Amino acid sequence: MTKIMISLFLALFLAPAMAADKSGAHNPANLQLASVSAVVMDASSGEVLYQKYANMVKPIASLTKVMTAMVVLDAKLPLNETIRFSQDDRKAINYYHSRIRVDSELDRGEVLRLALMSSENLAAAALGRNFPGGLPAFVAKMNAKARALGMKNTRYVDSSGLSHENVSTAADLAKLVAAAAKYKEITNYSTTPIYTANFSRPRYRLDYVNTNPLVRYQRWDVAMSKTGYLDEAGRCLVMKAKVDGKDLLIVMLDSFGKTSPMGDAGRIKRWLASGNGGTVASAAKEYQKRKIATHLASRATASIR
């Protein structure tokens, strides 16, 4: 019975991946990705050019920080207001590594920049703690914003993304990227290639680089970007980028291997230009099979209950 249920779920999940035009150069079957879940959408028309397991709910790691940025900016909190990093911020990220010193200070706008371009977890935690009402109020605003954007399969529990309980889908995240790209601060901060932050109390400097190599080395025309990684989430990347003169929303979740999202971005670009979607390593294919099988088995078990 379970095997039959899994087969049915597999058919249901595969159908959306083939929703794009099957004729001509842009046959979605020709596009091979190392990411388990993905969406490519025309930002202007809203046309979905490609989707793969777009409604599979998955941990999203530091992609969370895009919503963190929107909540901060929606609240119109002063970006030149000083934020002090505290031991509570360290606790909020389970004492995960950060080069920022406890009790040092930085303007909110610069803290937001570090959270977006370098995925600095302590920065994201401090942004949540320094919100009116603290982190609980901040997370409530995150979830309310998700509902307002129509992100029906999205849930947030923290501002950094270090919890695997922050979950969403590729389809929902396409909505997030479209909304985030309308904030000039997010487009500016998330596409900063390199940056030197000047802290005070005590005074010291730290150099940061963008976690997206396509931005860091300015290989693509990227208007908005965010990477993410957790063991449970795999490698993730969302972007708004101009490809062959067209603005695209690109979402890639749970990619196998550190550089796989960049490889997938290249395959998407090549597929749009020529219809040639390239190939992926056998290890990546096996990784996807395991992830999809686990997900479908979980769905089948839940339906039986």
Side-chain angles (χ1 to χ4, degrees):
M1 179 65 178
T2 302
K3 289 183 178 179
I4 295 174
M5 299 273 312
I6 291 174
S7 297
L8 289 173
F9 277 118
L10 184 60
L12 288 172
F13 270 85
L14 278 174
M18 298 296 110
D21 179 17
K22 295 182 180 180
S23 63
H26 295 155
N27 184 346
N30 293 336
L31 179 54
Q32 301 296 309
L33 298 181
S35 301
V36 172
S37 178
V39 163
V40 181
M41 181 183 294
D42 187 311
S44 299
S45 68
E47 178 188 3
V48 177
L49 304 176
Y50 176 85
Q51 55 182 323
K52 173 185 179 184
Y53 297 105
N55 294 308
M56 183 186 288
V57 178
K58 302 187 67 60
I60 58 172
S62 285
L63 301 184
T64 294
K65 295 181 176 74
V66 178
M67 182 61 81
T68 295
M70 288 200 292
V71 170
V72 170
L73 295 169
D74 284 350
K76 300 189 184 305
L77 301 174
L79 296 183
N80 60 355
E81 182 179 5
T82 298
I83 284 182
R84 178 177 292 184
F85 297 93
S86 76
Q87 195 64 36
D88 286 339
D89 300 326
R90 295 274 299 140
K91 183 178 179 180
I93 63 171
N94 296 318
Y95 301 98
Y96 195 85
H97 172 72
S98 174
R99 294 183 295 154
I100 298 175
R101 304 178 193 177
V102 171
D103 291 331
S104 61
E105 297 178 344
L106 194 66
D107 286 355
R108 179 180 279 107
E110 302 309 280
V111 176
L112 185 55
R113 186 191 301 271
L114 299 186
L116 287 172
M117 58 89 69
S118 72
S119 211
E120 169 55 68
N121 292 304
L122 198 68
L127 290 169
R129 183 180 59 81
N130 283 274
F131 190 80
L135 186 60
F138 191 85
V139 171
K141 288 287 186 181
M142 294 173 76
N143 286 302
K145 181 73 172 181
R147 291 192 296 271
L149 292 174
M151 301 170 66
K152 297 179 180 180
N153 295 303
T154 299
R155 176 172 177 260
Y156 297 100
V157 301
D158 70 22
S159 59
S160 68
L162 283 176
S163 172
H164 67 273
E165 294 182 23
N166 290 329
V167 297
S168 188
T169 66
D172 275 5
L173 290 172
K175 297 176 182 178
L176 179 72
V177 175
K182 296 177 182 178
Y183 293 73
K184 68 179 188 303
E185 294 89 354
I186 294 178
T187 61
N188 178 16
Y189 295 163
S190 73
T191 60
T192 302
I194 57 174
Y195 190 73
T196 299
N198 294 286
F199 296 85
S200 58
R201 298 176 60 91
R203 295 181 60 86
Y204 65 99
R205 303 170 66 184
L206 291 176
D207 294 326
Y208 290 88
V209 299
N210 199 296
T211 53
N212 182 355
L214 302 179
V215 172
R216 187 163 70 244
Y217 301 117
Q218 300 179 338
R219 293 172 177 167
W220 281 45
D221 184 0
V222 179
M224 179 267 164
S225 166
K226 188 69 195 78
T227 63
Y229 173 73
L230 281 176
D231 285 345
E232 300 89 343
R235 303 285 173 177
C236 304
L237 174 63
V238 298
M239 296 189 295
K240 180 179 181 182
K242 192 177 291 294
V243 180
D244 292 333
K246 182 179 294 187
D247 288 324
L248 301 180
L249 307 176
I250 301 174
V251 178
M252 294 172 286
L253 303 180
D254 200 0
S255 189
F256 176 82
K258 186 174 183 179
T259 62
S260 291
M262 274 55 72
D264 278 353
R267 282 182 279 272
I268 290 169
K269 189 174 187 179
R270 185 165 55 248
W271 173 71
L272 289 168
S274 67
N276 176 13
T279 60
V280 297
S282 58
K285 292 180 180 179
E286 289 301 317
Y287 176 83
Q288 292 181 62
K289 287 180 181 178
R290 291 196 304 272
K291 285 297 189 86
I292 293 166
T294 299
H295 178 79
L296 296 180
S298 176
R299 288 286 300 272
T301 301
S303 70
I304 292 172
R305 291 174 183 171

